[in-house]
Amino acid sequence: MPAATAPTPVTGWGRTAPTAARLVRPRTYEEAVAAVLAGGARGSIARGLGRAYGDAAQNAGGAVLDMTGLDRVRTIDAEAGVVVCEAGVSLHRLMEVLLPLGWFVPVTPGTRYVTVGGAIGADIHGKNHHGSGSFSRHVRALDLLTADGTVRRLTPADELFHATAGGMGLTGLILSAELRLHPVRTSLMSVDTERAADLDDLMARLTATDHRYRYSVAWIDLLARGARTGRAVLTRGDHAPLEALRGRASRAPLHFAPPRLPPAPRHLPGGLLTRASVSAFNALWYRRAPRHRTGELQSIATFFHPLDGVPHWNRIYGRAGFVQYQFVVGHGQEETLRRVVRRIARRGCPSFLAVLKRFGEADPGWLSFPVPGWTLALDIPAGLPGLAGFLDELDEEVAGAGGRIYLAKDSRVRPEVLEAMYPRLAAFRALRRELDPDGVFVSDLSRRLHL
């Protein structure tokens, strides 16, 4: 069995509510089995690269299994576009390996520094959900280590597969997966950008033309008020064709080497992100965006993962950290979205990382987040006065409209509200009681929400 550290403080990417756990880093299936069976009274939870924003990969007083030691790409079928890899492989590593072969990951969130196991456990989504669904739709099979020490091979034909997809690591330890890939001819993106004057204008543009694009996202100014409420910069695109490249890019069309800037300082004072400073930034960002531009060539890193170029960018929120709040409401609930956006604007939440997307068909995972409709995500400094009560009020509004919050981003929702958001929650709890009666797999998230 791999050695465990002394109890070590662990947080999510939002850097709130740290708790201490023993860190264990298995490198083989056998070590993973031994680590799970030796988890102790407080159990174990898997952790990848630590990009879950809240407490999903924390386990106070127990063990946290660092899965980045299981990081091998096992096989690649370059003709069929299928890869088999271990759960600790990052999407960044897959891009490095697969892009030169003309393949791209089927779904990527706003960071490529997430592991495959984490992508399945959170059933991540990206800018292409309206056409491609979430990550688990592209998983052909996975190996799951369950509480009794058994490794089970699961496919989408298995009930446990769909409980695991979006199950936040609570059904077992994902060890490896077989993924379907997306074919590409280049490592550049052809991008269209336009400005929307307000929220209604933005939703109309997305509704009318999203079907023309593989990828679509809107940055939204949540501090604009009055006639400008919800003004946004809409960015959409697809993988650039070979004939769009010129010069050096055409000689190495699948080159992938994202730049890295110096990391954010370790210690930054609180109060940098005030309403005034963020409002000025948002206004400048909106004015600098083109009113309408088509066919701009951008790198994959620029289009999908702009913040990955700054290591530890989460430090800019200071010692108190930040909360990422993401919710979805269905089609027909546009007025709820409007009310929430107006409330955030009136409240003056200093958020400069705010995005709106349209979701397509609901995913089959029991606790998968997406449903057809509109999803808004925003970062808010955790020390904002009255934030907890304000977000509780938004939860009630979202739940009343049949919407839900995203567990991979959550650090504070109340368990009684969650009941109304996820209709399969009772079935998930029942399966966990049957599969893991002794609580071998447990996290701060699962304790807080009685999962």
Side-chain angles (χ1 to χ4, degrees):
M1 176 178 163
T5 68
T8 303
V10 179
T11 73
W13 191 245
R15 304 176 73 208
T16 58
T19 56
R22 292 174 290 108
L23 301 180
V24 185
R25 193 170 188 257
R27 293 181 176 273
T28 65
Y29 274 26
E30 292 75 18
E31 288 186 355
V33 172
V36 167
L37 294 180
R42 298 286 286 181
S44 305
I45 194 65
R47 183 180 179 90
L49 290 167
R51 294 304 179 103
Y53 285 77
D55 52 3
Q58 298 175 213
N59 182 20
V64 169
L65 307 182
D66 176 354
M67 296 301 292
T68 59
L70 284 164
D71 61 351
R72 288 164 282 270
V73 178
R74 291 183 175 175
T75 64
I76 301 171
D77 186 335
E79 290 190 5
V82 175
V83 64
V84 178
C85 62
E86 293 178 337
V89 174
S90 70
L91 298 192
H92 174 82
R93 180 58 182 155
L94 285 183
M95 291 177 197
E96 288 183 321
V97 171
L98 297 171
L99 274 167
L101 303 176
W103 296 98
F104 190 63
V105 295
V107 171
T108 177
T111 174
R112 59 187 179 276
Y113 294 109
V114 296
T115 62
V116 168
I120 298 170
D123 201 14
I124 61 171
H125 55 272
K127 299 176 182 179
N128 59 340
H129 189 277
H130 59 285
S132 300
S134 62
F135 195 87
S136 66
R137 286 187 181 272
H138 307 272
V139 178
R140 292 167 41 130
L142 62 88
D143 288 339
L144 183 73
L145 171 61
T146 51
D148 59 0
T150 301
V151 177
R152 305 191 189 191
R153 181 74 164 175
L154 303 177
T155 73
D158 298 304
E159 185 177 67
L160 183 53
F161 179 98
H162 296 296
T164 299
M168 305 309 296
L170 298 173
T171 61
L173 193 65
I174 299 169
L175 298 173
S176 66
E178 180 178 333
L179 311 175
R180 287 189 300 270
L181 306 169
H182 177 67
V184 296
R185 301 290 304 281
T186 76
S187 61
L188 293 177
M189 306 297 297
S190 177
V191 181
D192 295 351
T193 305
E194 58 191 284
R195 291 194 308 205
D198 56 34
L199 183 60
D200 284 342
D201 182 28
L202 173 61
M203 290 192 291
R205 291 171 189 253
L206 286 166
T207 301
T209 58
D210 245 11
H211 63 280
R212 302 177 189 169
Y213 297 90
R214 177 173 292 276
Y215 304 102
S216 177
V217 67
W219 169 88
I220 184 170
D221 181 0
L222 289 177
L223 286 175
R225 298 174 64 176
R228 301 172 300 162
T229 299
R231 66 180 178 180
V233 179
L234 179 55
T235 308
R236 295 180 286 186
D238 205 337
H239 298 276
L242 196 58
E243 56 269 23
L245 275 56
R246 299 288 184 270
R248 183 168 57 181
S250 65
R251 295 190 291 273
L254 291 166
H255 177 70
F256 178 71
R260 297 273 279 180
L261 298 173
R266 183 172 295 276
H267 301 297
L268 283 170
L272 291 179
L273 299 178
T274 64
R275 178 176 179 178
S277 64
V278 175
S279 182
F281 172 87
N282 286 1
L284 178 63
W285 190 264
Y286 181 80
R287 286 197 302 267
R288 290 187 62 184
R291 292 185 181 275
H292 186 75
R293 181 174 62 198
T294 61
E296 180 191 14
L297 293 181
Q298 294 183 4
S299 69
I300 280 171
T302 298
F303 182 74
F304 288 107
H305 317 117
L307 289 174
D308 281 349
V310 183
H312 305 295
W313 62 262
N314 56 338
R315 294 175 184 168
I316 67 175
Y317 291 89
R319 293 180 182 274
F322 70 100
V323 172
Q324 178 153 121
Y325 186 72
Q326 183 169 6
F327 68 91
V328 60
V329 292
H331 293 304
Q333 292 296 331
E334 285 77 11
E335 187 53 40
T336 299
L337 177 62
R338 294 185 186 98
R339 282 198 303 271
V340 170
V341 168
R342 288 195 296 266
R343 291 185 67 174
I344 293 170
R346 287 197 302 269
R347 182 66 171 73
C349 294
S351 177
F352 68 95
L353 295 176
V355 296
L356 182 74
K357 295 189 292 249
R358 287 179 75 237
F359 278 158
E361 182 181 349
D363 297 295
W366 290 9
L367 298 186
S368 291
F369 170 63
V371 296
W374 305 92
T375 181
L376 177 65
L378 61 148
D379 291 351
I380 312 171
L384 193 68
L387 180 61
F390 177 67
L391 293 182
D392 284 346
E393 293 173 3
L394 295 189
D395 289 341
E396 295 284 355
E397 182 131 19
V398 168
R404 58 183 59 163
I405 56 87
Y406 189 17
L407 290 175
K409 305 279 182 77
D410 178 58
S411 58
R412 30 69 48 205
V413 73
R414 291 172 292 135
E416 61 271 21
V417 179
L418 196 72
E419 302 271 356
M421 294 179 171
Y422 285 90
R424 301 212 65 177
L425 186 57
F428 180 81
R429 288 169 169 159
L431 182 141
R432 281 201 70 215
R433 286 193 296 270
E434 178 183 347
L435 193 67
D436 184 8
D438 298 323
V440 171
F441 294 104
V442 65
S443 66
D444 290 355
L445 174 81
S446 71
R447 291 190 185 98
R448 176 169 58 85
L449 296 178
H450 312 308
L451 297 177

